[in-house]
Amino acid sequence: MISYVPYSDDLEVEQPDEQSKIADILRYLGIAHERAIAARRHAPGETHAKGHGVLKGTFTVEPELPEELAQSLFAAPGTYPAVLRFATEAGTLMDDREPAARGLAMKLIGVDGEKMAADGRLTQDFLCNNCPILPLAEVTTYREIARLRAEYGHDPAQLAAEIAKRDDADVQTLFERLPNIDLLAHSYYSQSAFRYGDYVCKYALMPNTEAQRALAARPVTDDDRPDVLSEWLAEFLADNDAGFDFCIQLLTDPETMPIEDASVEWDVGKSAWRRVGTLSLPAQNPFTPARRAFGDEVLGFDPWAGRPDLRPLGSINRVRKPAYRASSRRRHEYNDRAGFEPISIGDVPD
Ligand code: HEM
């Protein structure tokens, strides 16, 4: 019989010199962000600069879940309007023909109850990338990589040479070897651990229609255009619906499924992915000028925005708390454009 590890505050372990490493990481991120802003005279997010589309959908909590899955937001059946943004992970505007990590951020609207930030929001954010692990791992590794990016980010060849010298170069370059396929055909993962009510999980969004999964057979090639991913997304959604299963993997063994190291994939043999919700995306145009501008300039996602019983865990998530706020503040100030948190799905333009 599988036993699920109960959530407790002492599952998280502060890393050696964590506060000073977090301060260094924030300083390095600021250097890279300000360089990207100066190059464009426009401020994207510190990461996920290139948006590929903003989508509206409906999220339905799976009915009749067993006790270990019927937690937090998933404790009672319900439906929520959802807004999503697809983006490429880099902090610069990459050509879509280059393989890279792709992100999918989802915001549920109309979520009542206590929130981690007492800012009156009615939203719950979930942020994922299309790789089960995060090579940055924890604050010690991340500090080293953030320093290299701050120092050599203006010179991609030199940055690659510096990363190649590392013992973990294979892991640090993993995103460059991800399949370069249609955005609707990837699975997207939280990579890091989260509280899940009385338990602990990682979460993921997995494509749930045959037509989406079939898109994986068509990789991006050098003959495609630099913005092919937005074009394919708009083409498919012009006359097809799409959808994702929202799945979680519960923590069953803290030794081999660490919370404090996001570079370790949790073994599905020890704990399978299980569906707790479904996201339906009706046919729509995800890349109108109004949606693109809303996604790139106005909307913001933050793993620390939402319910305390879904709070992020581990040092890689502890550094995200100040990092998202600093990035958001910097881009909204520079672009002279206020951020805005949707209250209803009508706030998201068509
Ligand atoms: C742990 C796994 C992580 C995942 C799955 C993830 C995912 C994402 C996604 C999907 C976005 C784009 C949101 C959008 O479309 O607007 C994003 C943005 C961002 N991420 Fe992460 N991320 C992770 C780790 C980190 C870490 C370790 C940092 C740095 C401390 C970080 C810093 C940021 C920042 C600064 C933004 C832009 C925020 C803004 O300007 O509004 N992320 N992340």
Side-chain angles (χ1 to χ4, degrees):
M1 175 149 152
I2 300 179
S3 87
Y4 303 105
V5 176
Y7 172 79
S8 80
D9 288 344
D10 54 20
L11 285 172
E12 285 187 286
V13 179
E14 177 146 354
Q15 301 298 295
D17 298 326
E18 179 165 320
Q19 292 315 317
S20 77
K21 285 174 185 159
I22 289 183
D24 285 350
I25 291 169
L26 293 175
R27 192 159 45 80
Y28 295 139
L29 289 179
I31 293 171
H33 197 193
E34 274 162 20
R35 184 166 51 219
I37 294 170
R40 287 178 70 189
R41 283 278 177 91
H42 182 267
E46 198 278 315
T47 72
H48 296 81
K50 186 174 185 180
H52 301 291
V54 169
L55 285 76
K56 294 186 197 184
T58 303
F59 187 90
T60 305
V61 174
E62 195 79 2
E64 294 173 36
L65 289 168
E67 181 273 341
E68 71 276 14
L69 299 181
Q71 299 287 325
S72 176
L73 188 75
F74 304 87
T79 59
Y80 300 90
V83 52
L84 284 85
R85 178 173 181 260
F86 284 102
T88 288
E89 186 258 357
T92 54
L93 296 182
M94 286 177 69
D95 186 316
D96 295 351
R97 291 168 295 192
E98 284 181 58
R102 314 293 180 200
L104 177 51
M106 173 171 78
K107 189 184 290 294
L108 305 187
I109 301 173
V111 176
D112 325 302
E114 192 193 346
K115 299 291 174 343
M116 288 179 278
D119 54 6
R121 286 182 191 221
L122 291 172
T123 46
Q124 171 72 48
D125 292 357
F126 296 96
L127 289 82
C128 299
N129 285 318
N130 66 334
C131 179
I133 63 146
L134 186 69
L136 301 171
E138 26 58 35
V139 284
T140 307
T141 306
Y142 189 20
R143 181 185 175 284
E144 293 167 11
I145 301 292
R147 182 181 69 74
L148 293 178
R149 289 180 182 165
E151 204 164 323
Y152 302 108
H154 62 288
D155 181 351
Q158 187 60 33
L159 177 60
E162 294 297 326
I163 302 241
K165 291 180 196 162
R166 294 176 55 88
D167 293 343
D168 66 351
D170 252 18
V171 184
Q172 295 305 333
T173 52
L174 187 62
F175 288 173
E176 297 162 27
R177 299 188 301 278
L178 291 171
N180 197 6
I181 54 173
D182 197 289
L183 294 165
L184 291 168
H186 293 289
S187 290
Y188 296 86
Y189 303 88
S190 68
Q191 302 176 310
S192 53
F194 283 75
R195 181 172 180 175
Y196 188 73
D198 291 341
Y199 302 101
V200 175
C201 79
K202 291 192 179 185
Y203 59 76
L205 286 152
M206 302 182 177
N208 69 7
T209 68
E210 261 322 305
Q212 269 170 272
R213 288 192 285 262
L215 296 170
R218 173 188 58 174
V220 174
T221 70
D222 288 345
D223 296 331
D224 287 311
R225 297 204 301 199
D227 286 320
V228 62
L229 294 177
S230 304
E231 292 168 5
W232 281 357
L233 193 63
E235 268 167 35
F236 184 89
L237 287 168
D239 39 34
N240 296 281
D241 299 345
F244 287 85
D245 286 345
F246 185 85
C247 301
I248 61 150
Q249 189 184 25
L250 287 174
L251 177 67
T252 55
D253 175 7
E255 292 304 310
T256 59
M257 304 164 82
I259 286 176
E260 291 293 343
D261 185 351
S263 70
V264 178
E265 188 170 357
W266 289 3
D267 182 357
V268 288
K270 293 201 163 161
S271 183
W273 288 104
R274 296 162 76 191
R275 186 173 67 194
V276 294
T278 310
L279 175 69
S280 311
L281 300 165
Q284 58 191 294
N285 185 348
F287 205 56
T288 61
R291 286 235 184 140
R292 185 185 47 69
F294 185 74
D296 291 353
E297 314 242 333
V298 180
L299 203 55
F301 294 88
D302 183 341
W304 286 91
R307 298 172 55 124
D309 56 5
L310 293 173
R311 67 173 288 242
L313 302 174
S315 72
I316 208 69
N317 274 326
R318 293 191 287 276
V319 66
R320 289 171 90 188
K321 192 173 189 174
Y324 282 66
R325 287 171 197 174
S327 167
S328 172
R329 197 179 319 113
R330 224 179 268 124
R331 72 185 166 93
H332 288 120
E333 271 175 24
Y334 189 91
N335 296 338
D336 194 21
R337 190 103 196 242
F340 171 73
E341 196 57 20
I343 295 164
S344 84
I345 197 69
D347 293 334
V348 180
D350 281 323

